[in-house]
Amino acid sequence: FFNDTATTEIYTLSLHDALPIYLFAFIALLGLSMASGSFGFISIVMPVFIIALTIYIYVEETYLVRKFGNKYIAYRKRVPIVVPRFWFVLRIPVVLLFRLLFHFEIRGREHIPLETPYFVVAAHRNYLDPFFIGCAFPHQIKFICTYDMFRKKLIRYIVTKLGAIPKKRYKTDLYSNKMLTKALTDGYPAGIFPEGGRSWTGNMRTLKTECIRLFLHHCHFPVVPVKITGNYHAWPRWSNSIFRADVRVEIKPPIRFEPDTPLNIAEQTLVDSIQVRPETEDRVIRRKKDRTGKLSVVLYRCPSCRRFETLKEVSPSFMKCVVCHYSLEIMPDLRLQTGNGSTAETFLIGDVYSDIKITLSDLEFLKKEQQGFSRPATMMDSEIVYYRSHGKFYEEQGVQFIPRSVDEVFLTQERILIHNREADTSIPLKEIGGATIEGNDKFHIYQRQLNCVNQIIFDANCALLWQDLLVLLLQKRYNKKIITR
């Protein structure tokens, strides 16, 4: 469980020699007093020992502060005197659980820098990725996570205790930058997933430019790449269940960038170190019969008849189109298979998604599909409707989302219209600065001018389809790119 250099691990639990000497000496004396049954030993020797120990700790702390100055003060802020902190106490049962569920394996711990701070970087394919990484490092890592994790009190309390730093997606977050700078100044490693969100298909997406710029700005801190295999199979984003799969964390040698390193070179260097290609994960074996989960969230279109949202989960390992009856089998290694015997063909989820993803040529088809539906009174006859769904609409108030009603949602060439019995809400497309998906089904829309976020949870429709369609329309009509992760 500990690092090969056990001393390094011990000194991340408590200051100087407090844990191995002070704590164990106290336990030994307590054991002697109980074994001897001496009342005087318990009532006199033990209190004197505790008082003497407290004085010694105070004197030693004063000396260390005088000798090492701010460097030791920063070290003292992140490491307790005797009792290990919450993150380390939690790590022990988590490691045991991971070994049971995932055959959890750690490699390359010799590459962990002995001195902090440093950056930890990995591809993000699983909610548990911060825990996988945290169990592999001896230092507490301050992970940057989405602000949405802090909206509920209980989750906010837990992730705050674990040292998470909230980051708003849609604008420059001065508070997040301040927290990150403070963490680095105090000597904490910072954990960053530079893709900006979990992968839907297991394939790695392009890295966010602001993350690369951050590493170049703090080029005096090393970047430690981490490659995690099996995490997508253990809990793919489209599944609500955790599956038993082999997970391996491999820590790569630290990278040091020069401040004038071109962005594309820095990005490619990181990608080469952390990328895991799904086709190379043959060693991963799923151990559960129900493999479909909600894969229709990603495969929102039938690869055969090309109709939208007709591919449904019909059994623990099969999906079938309700229109053309085309079927796909989800194999144990998460590959997709169609046909049987010699006619069987096997595909990766990412390849199928790339094939069915909506394009500009599909807009005319969608427009014709929506012509048969009745329109709200507030919608003009000249408005072109591209898509129509039902869902719950929420407005942001403080850190909470307040539900407003169960609504009918229309996407037209000019706006998103949320229609209900009381009043309609209109969101102009040209005012949208971001459209992200939190979790699997929470569709967030950011209005730049009003500086507000609205949330829609669709009843049956696919949030990823809405995101892809909205991005396509904004590019076509306004030649505008928005934040999607």
Short mmCIF file of all heavy atoms in Angstrom, two decimals, residues 15 20 24 32 58 68 74 99 123 134 166 217 226 232 259 300 325 338 356 385 401 409 425 436 455 460 483:
data_model
loop_
_atom_site.label_atom_id
_atom_site.label_comp_id
_atom_site.label_asym_id
_atom_site.label_seq_id
_atom_site.Cartn_x
_atom_site.Cartn_y
_atom_site.Cartn_z
N LEU A 15 3.59 15.48 10.73
CA LEU A 15 4.80 16.28 10.74
C LEU A 15 5.97 15.51 11.34
O LEU A 15 5.81 14.76 12.32
CB LEU A 15 4.57 17.56 11.55
CG LEU A 15 3.58 18.57 10.97
CD1 LEU A 15 3.40 19.70 11.93
CD2 LEU A 15 4.06 19.08 9.64
N PRO A 20 5.31 7.97 13.99
CA PRO A 20 5.97 6.73 14.40
C PRO A 20 6.52 6.73 15.81
O PRO A 20 6.66 5.67 16.41
CB PRO A 20 7.11 6.59 13.38
CG PRO A 20 7.36 7.96 12.91
CD PRO A 20 6.05 8.67 12.93
N PHE A 24 3.17 5.93 18.82
CA PHE A 24 3.48 4.57 19.23
C PHE A 24 4.03 4.51 20.66
O PHE A 24 3.79 3.54 21.39
CB PHE A 24 4.46 3.94 18.25
CG PHE A 24 3.91 3.77 16.86
CD1 PHE A 24 4.76 3.68 15.76
CD2 PHE A 24 2.54 3.70 16.65
CE1 PHE A 24 4.25 3.53 14.48
CE2 PHE A 24 2.02 3.55 15.39
CZ PHE A 24 2.87 3.47 14.30
N LEU A 32 1.51 -0.74 28.86
CA LEU A 32 2.23 -1.12 30.08
C LEU A 32 1.42 -0.81 31.32
O LEU A 32 1.37 -1.60 32.28
CB LEU A 32 3.58 -0.39 30.13
CG LEU A 32 4.67 -0.90 29.17
CD1 LEU A 32 5.88 0.02 29.23
CD2 LEU A 32 5.07 -2.33 29.52
N TYR A 58 6.01 21.56 20.89
CA TYR A 58 6.00 23.01 20.71
C TYR A 58 7.41 23.55 20.46
O TYR A 58 7.63 24.36 19.56
CB TYR A 58 5.40 23.67 21.95
CG TYR A 58 5.50 25.19 21.94
CD1 TYR A 58 4.61 25.94 21.17
CD2 TYR A 58 6.47 25.85 22.68
CE1 TYR A 58 4.71 27.32 21.14
CE2 TYR A 58 6.58 27.22 22.65
CZ TYR A 58 5.69 27.96 21.88
OH TYR A 58 5.79 29.33 21.84
N PHE A 68 13.49 26.59 8.77
CA PHE A 68 13.06 26.41 7.39
C PHE A 68 12.11 27.51 6.90
O PHE A 68 11.83 27.60 5.71
CB PHE A 68 12.38 25.04 7.20
CG PHE A 68 13.31 23.89 7.46
CD1 PHE A 68 13.23 23.16 8.63
CD2 PHE A 68 14.27 23.54 6.53
CE1 PHE A 68 14.08 22.09 8.87
CE2 PHE A 68 15.13 22.47 6.76
CZ PHE A 68 15.04 21.75 7.92
N ALA A 74 4.22 26.21 5.16
CA ALA A 74 3.33 25.67 4.13
C ALA A 74 3.16 24.17 4.29
O ALA A 74 2.07 23.62 4.14
CB ALA A 74 3.87 26.00 2.75
N ARG A 99 -9.47 -2.91 -4.90
CA ARG A 99 -8.78 -4.17 -5.20
C ARG A 99 -9.77 -5.32 -5.32
O ARG A 99 -9.57 -6.25 -6.10
CB ARG A 99 -7.75 -4.45 -4.12
CG ARG A 99 -6.52 -3.54 -4.22
CD ARG A 99 -5.48 -3.88 -3.19
NE ARG A 99 -4.26 -3.08 -3.38
CZ ARG A 99 -3.22 -3.10 -2.59
NH1 ARG A 99 -3.23 -3.90 -1.51
NH2 ARG A 99 -2.17 -2.34 -2.82
N ALA A 123 -6.52 11.40 -18.54
CA ALA A 123 -7.75 11.38 -19.32
C ALA A 123 -8.91 11.03 -18.39
O ALA A 123 -8.75 10.22 -17.47
CB ALA A 123 -7.65 10.39 -20.47
N GLY A 134 -5.92 9.35 -6.56
CA GLY A 134 -5.60 9.68 -5.17
C GLY A 134 -5.05 8.51 -4.39
O GLY A 134 -4.20 8.68 -3.51
N PRO A 166 -13.72 24.06 -6.96
CA PRO A 166 -14.79 24.21 -7.95
C PRO A 166 -14.36 25.11 -9.11
O PRO A 166 -13.63 26.07 -8.92
CB PRO A 166 -15.93 24.85 -7.15
CG PRO A 166 -15.22 25.62 -6.07
CD PRO A 166 -13.99 24.83 -5.73
N HIS A 217 2.28 28.40 -17.97
CA HIS A 217 2.44 29.54 -17.06
C HIS A 217 3.17 29.11 -15.78
O HIS A 217 4.01 29.85 -15.25
CB HIS A 217 1.07 30.11 -16.72
CG HIS A 217 1.12 31.26 -15.76
ND1 HIS A 217 1.60 32.51 -16.09
CD2 HIS A 217 0.77 31.34 -14.44
CE1 HIS A 217 1.53 33.32 -15.04
NE2 HIS A 217 1.03 32.62 -14.02
N VAL A 226 -0.68 10.56 -15.92
CA VAL A 226 -1.18 9.28 -15.39
C VAL A 226 -2.05 8.63 -16.45
O VAL A 226 -2.99 9.26 -16.97
CB VAL A 226 -2.00 9.50 -14.10
CG1 VAL A 226 -2.57 8.17 -13.61
CG2 VAL A 226 -1.15 10.14 -13.02
N TYR A 232 -12.92 3.10 -18.14
CA TYR A 232 -14.13 3.26 -18.95
C TYR A 232 -15.01 2.03 -18.85
O TYR A 232 -16.24 2.13 -18.77
CB TYR A 232 -13.75 3.51 -20.41
CG TYR A 232 -14.94 3.76 -21.32
CD1 TYR A 232 -15.65 4.95 -21.24
CD2 TYR A 232 -15.36 2.80 -22.23
CE1 TYR A 232 -16.74 5.19 -22.06
CE2 TYR A 232 -16.45 3.02 -23.07
CZ TYR A 232 -17.14 4.21 -22.98
OH TYR A 232 -18.23 4.44 -23.78
N PRO A 259 8.50 27.74 -20.97
CA PRO A 259 7.41 28.72 -21.11
C PRO A 259 7.07 29.06 -22.56
O PRO A 259 5.95 29.48 -22.85
CB PRO A 259 7.93 29.95 -20.35
CG PRO A 259 9.40 29.75 -20.24
CD PRO A 259 9.64 28.29 -20.21
N TYR A 300 -27.69 7.84 -30.33
CA TYR A 300 -29.03 8.41 -30.42
C TYR A 300 -29.63 8.28 -31.83
O TYR A 300 -30.67 8.89 -32.13
CB TYR A 300 -29.03 9.87 -29.99
CG TYR A 300 -28.03 10.77 -30.69
CD1 TYR A 300 -28.16 11.12 -32.03
CD2 TYR A 300 -26.95 11.29 -29.99
CE1 TYR A 300 -27.26 11.96 -32.66
CE2 TYR A 300 -26.03 12.13 -30.61
CZ TYR A 300 -26.20 12.47 -31.94
OH TYR A 300 -25.30 13.30 -32.56
N HIS A 325 -35.71 -2.52 -37.01
CA HIS A 325 -35.37 -3.74 -36.28
C HIS A 325 -33.87 -4.12 -36.39
O HIS A 325 -33.52 -5.28 -36.17
CB HIS A 325 -36.23 -4.92 -36.74
CG HIS A 325 -37.70 -4.63 -36.67
ND1 HIS A 325 -38.36 -4.37 -35.49
CD2 HIS A 325 -38.64 -4.52 -37.67
CE1 HIS A 325 -39.64 -4.14 -35.75
NE2 HIS A 325 -39.84 -4.22 -37.05
N THR A 338 -22.82 -6.69 -34.80
CA THR A 338 -24.06 -6.88 -35.54
C THR A 338 -23.92 -8.11 -36.42
O THR A 338 -22.85 -8.39 -36.96
CB THR A 338 -24.38 -5.66 -36.42
OG1 THR A 338 -25.58 -5.89 -37.15
CG2 THR A 338 -23.24 -5.35 -37.37
N ILE A 356 -22.93 8.03 -36.66
CA ILE A 356 -24.34 8.45 -36.53
C ILE A 356 -24.48 9.91 -36.09
O ILE A 356 -25.58 10.45 -36.06
CB ILE A 356 -25.08 7.53 -35.54
CG1 ILE A 356 -24.45 7.56 -34.14
CG2 ILE A 356 -25.12 6.10 -36.06
CD1 ILE A 356 -25.06 8.49 -33.16
N VAL A 385 -39.01 24.66 -36.93
CA VAL A 385 -38.76 23.80 -35.76
C VAL A 385 -37.89 22.63 -36.20
O VAL A 385 -38.23 21.90 -37.13
CB VAL A 385 -40.09 23.30 -35.16
CG1 VAL A 385 -39.81 22.39 -33.97
CG2 VAL A 385 -40.98 24.46 -34.75
N PHE A 401 -30.68 24.96 -8.38
CA PHE A 401 -31.59 25.02 -9.52
C PHE A 401 -33.01 24.84 -9.00
O PHE A 401 -33.32 23.85 -8.33
CB PHE A 401 -31.27 23.94 -10.55
CG PHE A 401 -30.13 24.29 -11.47
CD1 PHE A 401 -28.96 23.58 -11.43
CD2 PHE A 401 -30.25 25.34 -12.36
CE1 PHE A 401 -27.91 23.89 -12.27
CE2 PHE A 401 -29.21 25.68 -13.21
CZ PHE A 401 -28.04 24.96 -13.16
N VAL A 409 -40.33 21.52 -25.01
CA VAL A 409 -39.16 22.30 -25.41
C VAL A 409 -39.00 22.21 -26.93
O VAL A 409 -38.98 21.11 -27.49
CB VAL A 409 -37.88 21.77 -24.73
CG1 VAL A 409 -36.70 22.70 -25.02
CG2 VAL A 409 -38.09 21.65 -23.22
N THR A 425 -40.95 30.54 -21.89
CA THR A 425 -39.60 31.08 -21.71
C THR A 425 -38.85 30.92 -23.01
O THR A 425 -38.83 29.83 -23.60
CB THR A 425 -38.86 30.34 -20.59
OG1 THR A 425 -39.59 30.46 -19.36
CG2 THR A 425 -37.46 30.93 -20.39
N THR A 436 -23.72 22.53 -21.97
CA THR A 436 -22.98 21.40 -21.42
C THR A 436 -23.95 20.37 -20.84
O THR A 436 -25.12 20.67 -20.61
CB THR A 436 -22.00 21.85 -20.32
OG1 THR A 436 -22.75 22.44 -19.24
CG2 THR A 436 -21.01 22.87 -20.86
N GLN A 455 -31.37 24.92 -16.68
CA GLN A 455 -31.19 23.47 -16.77
C GLN A 455 -32.47 22.82 -17.29
O GLN A 455 -33.58 23.18 -16.87
CB GLN A 455 -30.85 22.90 -15.40
CG GLN A 455 -30.76 21.37 -15.36
CD GLN A 455 -30.36 20.86 -13.99
OE1 GLN A 455 -29.19 20.87 -13.64
NE2 GLN A 455 -31.33 20.40 -13.22
N ALA A 460 -37.45 11.73 -21.96
CA ALA A 460 -37.01 10.54 -22.68
C ALA A 460 -35.96 10.85 -23.74
O ALA A 460 -35.30 9.95 -24.23
CB ALA A 460 -38.20 9.84 -23.33
N ILE A 483 -19.15 26.91 -25.60
CA ILE A 483 -18.52 26.01 -24.64
C ILE A 483 -19.41 24.76 -24.50
O ILE A 483 -20.61 24.87 -24.24
CB ILE A 483 -18.35 26.70 -23.28
CG1 ILE A 483 -17.41 27.91 -23.42
CG2 ILE A 483 -17.81 25.73 -22.24
CD1 ILE A 483 -17.36 28.78 -22.20
#
